[in-house]
Amino acid sequence: MNGLPMNVPAPGLPARVRIHEVGARDGLQNEKTAVPTAVKAEFIHRLAAAGLTTIEATSFVHPKWVPQLADAEQLFPELGDLAGVHLPVLVPNERGLDRALALGATRIAVFGSATETFASRNLNRTVAESLAMFEPVVARAKEGGAHVRGYLSMCFGDPWEGPVPVHQVVRVAKALLDLGCDELSLGDTIGVATPGHVLALLGELGEAGVPTDRIGVHFHDTYGQALSNTLAALGHGVTTVDASAGGLGGCPYAKSATGNLATEDLVWMLDGLGIETGVDLTALTATSAWMAEQLGRPSPSRTVRALSHKE
Ligand code: HMG
Ligand code: MG
């Protein structure tokens, strides 16, 4: 076995996929132990060297809410040499935007919720209040020429409210785009989606006038559905997929959220389908194996485990 899947394309899929790597932010925000800033910086440099071109770096949120990312001011300047790599950062409010802009960030992400309970737990706001909080953030970021991503969490199910109606998700998704977000990332924060549900949501978003090329998908693998859901989304025309190196992460304000879709599992499937990503699977796997050593536990990614296995 040479560590690469056999290349057998399938019809009806895009030629190229852009991977939005979230391991350094979504992954590390969930670690119990604080990861040293130098390790985070090396992780991001290694991800870039493996060919990832969009690497979410950190969050400018309240440090009491997410202490794991309280070193954003120290980390971000360490990444200044990564020419050609987009380094989006999470920003919930104007205070966060000021901090990000002061360091020269050119890509930001606001993060909304399709449900009231998660909005309250994650942002201490109702859905309407959080959209009002984002309004000046998006406007100021766009005025300054920044690219703005709008995350939407709990698009399929919510641990407190149960299944989330598609029309409820479409309403908040439209509101985020109406604020001026350039792209939307649909989050299955607790990993309960199945492919039919994904297609139903994408179909209704299309009917509501949301162009598919502005949609990214963000799946969690709690029930082993992340790749099936990704394949369904690709068949619908989605070409931006969020993933986390080594399958790191979850969400500190949604306890049932387990790991994000592992980037290596995604790249294995996309390589096999002949879909271009620009990512070197061998280098990426070595990076996640190294990060697992730093964290003192094995990666949950099946691909990382399989490719790291020594006879
Ligand atoms: P709050 O307590 O309502 O804040 O929290 P506030 O606006 O009342 O301000 C209180 C104090 O915090 C003030 O200081 C502010 O200046 C300060 P004081 O005047 O008392 O000295 N403050 C800040 N300090 C630093 N940076 C800031 C900031 N903002 C206010 N940005 C807040 C509201 C939004 C700040 C808080 O709820 C928060 O930080 N939440 C972040 C939670 C978070 O990061 N969650 C994880 C990311 S979401 C996710 O992972 C899901 C996703 O991956 C997709 C998926 O999987 O679904 C995206
Ligand atoms: Mg996530």
Side-chain angles (χ1 to χ4, degrees):
M1 188 75 228
N2 68 358
L4 293 173
M6 203 169 131
N7 185 329
V8 187
L13 297 173
R16 188 175 173 87
V17 159
R18 184 174 66 87
I19 298 178
H20 184 109
E21 169 60 46
V22 299
R25 192 280 304 172
D26 200 356
L28 298 186
Q29 77 180 8
N30 221 37
E31 284 303 313
K32 288 192 178 60
T33 50
V35 175
T37 309
V39 173
K40 292 177 182 172
E42 183 170 348
F43 184 40
I44 292 171
H45 279 92
R46 290 182 69 149
L47 292 171
L52 288 153
T53 52
T54 305
I55 306 175
E56 209 164 87
T58 187
S59 296
F60 291 90
V61 298
H62 196 298
K64 274 195 216 136
W65 284 64
V66 185
Q68 294 89 335
L69 303 183
D71 63 350
E73 263 81 7
Q74 289 72 47
L75 175 64
F76 201 75
E78 296 292 318
L79 311 175
D81 57 336
L82 286 172
V85 177
H86 295 308
L87 297 166
V89 293
L90 257 61
V91 160
N93 54 15
E94 287 196 89
R95 173 90 177 84
L97 182 69
D98 291 339
R99 291 174 57 204
L101 293 181
L103 294 171
T106 56
R107 293 210 159 211
I108 65 144
V110 294
F111 45 105
S113 169
T115 66
E116 290 295 343
T117 312
F118 189 64
S120 160
R121 288 185 176 244
N122 201 39
L123 293 162
N124 200 23
R125 301 284 186 279
T126 64
V127 170
E129 286 166 350
S130 45
L131 291 168
M133 179 166 75
F134 301 149
E135 192 173 357
V137 175
V138 179
R140 282 182 49 208
K142 298 284 294 172
E143 271 164 34
H147 179 277
V148 182
R149 161 175 262 230
Y151 273 107
L152 186 55
S153 288
M154 304 299 174
C155 286
F156 299 93
D158 172 291
W160 305 280
E161 298 184 20
V164 181
V166 168
H167 65 85
Q168 186 174 322
V169 181
V170 172
R171 185 182 66 77
V172 191
K174 289 261 304 171
L176 281 169
L177 289 174
D178 288 346
L179 289 182
C181 290
D182 297 290
E183 78 175 6
L184 189 67
S185 170
L186 303 173
D188 181 18
T189 316
I190 57 169
V192 291
T194 46
H197 198 166
V198 171
L199 291 175
L201 176 57
L202 291 171
E204 287 217 20
L205 283 167
E207 276 171 32
V210 177
T212 305
D213 64 4
R214 289 177 68 188
I215 296 177
V217 287
H218 182 112
F219 293 121
H220 283 232
D221 212 21
T222 320
Y223 298 94
Q225 303 298 302
L227 278 180
S228 315
N229 291 335
T230 303
L231 192 56
L234 297 181
H236 187 86
V238 169
T239 56
T240 299
V241 181
D242 297 5
S244 174
L248 293 170
C251 179
Y253 292 100
K255 288 302 171 213
S256 53
T258 56
N260 293 284
L261 167 61
T263 314
E264 291 82 358
D265 297 3
L266 174 65
V267 173
W268 180 275
M269 180 177 82
L270 297 178
D271 276 359
L273 287 164
I275 296 175
E276 220 184 296
T277 63
V279 175
D280 175 340
L281 185 57
T282 307
L284 179 62
T285 303
T287 299
S288 290
W290 167 82
M291 194 62 201
E293 271 171 34
Q294 306 299 312
L295 296 171
R297 55 180 169 69
S299 162
S301 160
R302 292 181 188 201
T303 303
V304 172
R305 287 185 188 204
L307 293 181
S308 307
H309 183 74
K310 304 217 173 36
E311 292 299 327

